[in-house]
Amino acid sequence: MKIYLLKPVLLLLLVLIVFMSHTSFAITVKQSVKNEQLNIKMTDINYPKSILDKELNSGLPNNISLHLSASVQGEKVFIFTLNHQITYDLWDEIYIIKTSTSEKSSHLEVIKTASELREFISNIGMLSSNALKQLEPNVTYEINAQILVNPVNSKRIEKIQNWIATSQGYTYNSNESQHNRAPLSNESRALKVGKIDNISNNSSENLNAARPRFQKLFDQILEQYMSSDEVPALWRSKIIKNDINIQNLLDEK
C-alpha cells in the first residue's frame, strides 16, 4: 500500500525537477546615464548548462551577442549591437575574448577561469554616447533587447539554401561570378565538363527523385530562420522589453 502511495509523490517530484530545469529566470535590466553615455545593463542571464560547460570550453570560437533597439510608436530610432567572440585556448587554458560593438572597433581581453567567464557573460550591456545624441530627452522609448549565442547571418542562410538548390545538379549562368556561385559536388562538376558519360538513366532518375525530398527536408529546417524579425542562433534569451526616458535618468543622478 505504501508503494502505491509513493509512486505519485515521486512522479510529482520528477515533474517539478524537469520544470525547474527548463525555467528561464527573468533577466534584470539596469539603466543609467554616466559620463555622457547611456548605460543599459542586462544581468542574471541564465544560459543553458550545455553552453557553459561544453560550447565555451570546446576550443572553437563562440559568439555571445546583444541586439538592442529603441522604438517610439513602433518605429525603431536607435539600434545597437555588441558581440563577444570567446575562444578557449586549450594549451594555455585561458579564455580569449574579442569584443566589438556597432559604435567602435574591437578590443581583446583575457579571462583566466571559468567562474570569471560566467560572471563576465552574465552581465552584458550597452554603453553608448550616440544614444544620448539620437534619443530625445523628454520622449519615452521602448527598449527591446535580446541575448544570442552563436547567431547566424541571414545572408549565410540564403547561401546555404542556394547550395541546397544546386547541390544535386548545376545550371551554368554566365552572369554569375565565380565567387557567388554555389559549390559543386564532384558529380556535378564532372557533368559540367563532360568527363562522365557512363551514368545510367536509372541513376539520373534516382537523383531527380531524391532532390525534392532532400530540398524539402532542409527547407523545413531552415524556414524558421528566415523570419525578418528573428536572427537564427544556437540559443536566444526571451526579448527583454523596458521603457526608458533620458530626462528621468538624468534627474536621478
Side-chain angles (χ1 to χ4, degrees):
M1 186 68 174
K2 292 181 179 179
I3 295 177
Y4 290 109
L5 290 174
L6 189 59
K7 284 183 178 180
V9 176
L10 291 175
L11 181 60
L12 178 60
L13 287 174
L14 180 61
V15 170
L16 287 174
I17 291 171
V18 172
F19 173 77
M20 291 178 65
S21 67
H22 287 82
T23 300
S24 296
F25 298 99
I27 295 176
T28 303
V29 181
K30 298 179 181 178
Q31 304 171 152
S32 64
V33 174
K34 185 177 181 181
N35 299 327
E36 297 184 353
Q37 291 181 308
L38 176 60
N39 185 10
I40 301 178
K41 181 178 289 187
M42 266 64 69
T43 62
D44 303 323
I45 303 169
N46 188 36
Y47 297 96
K49 193 173 185 298
S50 60
I51 290 174
L52 297 174
D53 294 344
K54 183 179 178 181
E55 301 296 336
L56 295 179
N57 294 294
S58 67
L60 300 173
N62 285 276
N63 291 283
I64 296 181
S65 301
L66 165 67
H67 291 194
L68 183 147
S69 66
S71 304
V72 59
Q73 296 181 348
E75 181 179 351
K76 291 181 181 179
V77 296
F78 177 77
I79 297 175
F80 178 90
T81 60
L82 173 144
N83 186 73
H84 294 308
Q85 185 183 78
I86 303 169
T87 306
Y88 182 58
D89 189 317
L90 298 171
W91 183 263
D92 293 328
E93 297 183 337
I94 57 174
Y95 299 91
I96 301 172
I97 302 174
K98 181 180 180 181
T99 300
S100 59
T101 74
S102 53
E103 295 189 0
K104 64 180 181 180
S105 58
S106 61
H107 68 276
L108 291 174
E109 57 188 300
V110 171
I111 289 180
K112 295 182 178 180
T113 67
S115 59
E116 289 179 276
L117 178 67
R118 293 188 182 193
E119 177 67 21
F120 178 82
I121 63 175
S122 294
N123 298 273
I124 293 181
M126 177 191 78
L127 194 61
S128 170
S129 57
N130 288 339
L132 292 184
K133 298 175 183 177
Q134 296 184 34
L135 302 181
E136 298 291 337
N138 292 310
V139 176
T140 298
Y141 297 90
E142 180 185 78
I143 296 294
N144 288 317
Q146 190 172 39
I147 308 297
L148 306 171
V149 176
N150 291 340
V152 181
N153 189 290
S154 60
K155 290 184 178 179
R156 182 170 297 178
I157 295 295
E158 291 173 359
K159 288 182 179 179
I160 293 172
Q161 286 189 317
N162 184 52
W163 176 83
I164 291 169
T166 59
S167 60
Q168 296 287 336
Y170 180 76
T171 302
Y172 177 70
N173 184 349
S174 59
N175 296 322
E176 185 179 24
S177 69
Q178 185 66 32
H179 176 73
N180 293 326
R181 189 174 299 160
L184 297 176
S185 63
N186 289 335
E187 293 84 357
S188 300
R189 187 179 291 106
L191 283 170
K192 177 176 179 287
V193 299
K195 289 185 178 180
I196 291 181
D197 57 4
N198 60 349
I199 297 178
S200 67
N201 291 332
N202 289 338
S203 297
S204 299
E205 290 174 0
N206 289 338
L207 279 175
N208 292 331
R211 182 176 178 180
R213 292 196 296 269
F214 176 77
Q215 190 164 349
K216 184 178 180 180
L217 171 63
F218 279 87
D219 284 346
Q220 290 174 345
I221 295 172
L222 295 176
E223 65 182 358
Q224 59 181 310
Y225 296 140
M226 297 311 294
S227 172
S228 60
D229 60 349
E230 188 172 275
V231 177
L234 176 65
W235 176 85
R236 70 182 68 244
S237 72
K238 292 182 178 180
I239 296 177
I240 305 117
K241 295 180 180 290
N242 209 24
D243 290 338
I244 186 171
N245 185 292
I246 303 299
Q247 189 60 53
N248 291 343
L249 294 178
L250 290 171
D251 293 341
E252 292 174 2
K253 292 177 62 178

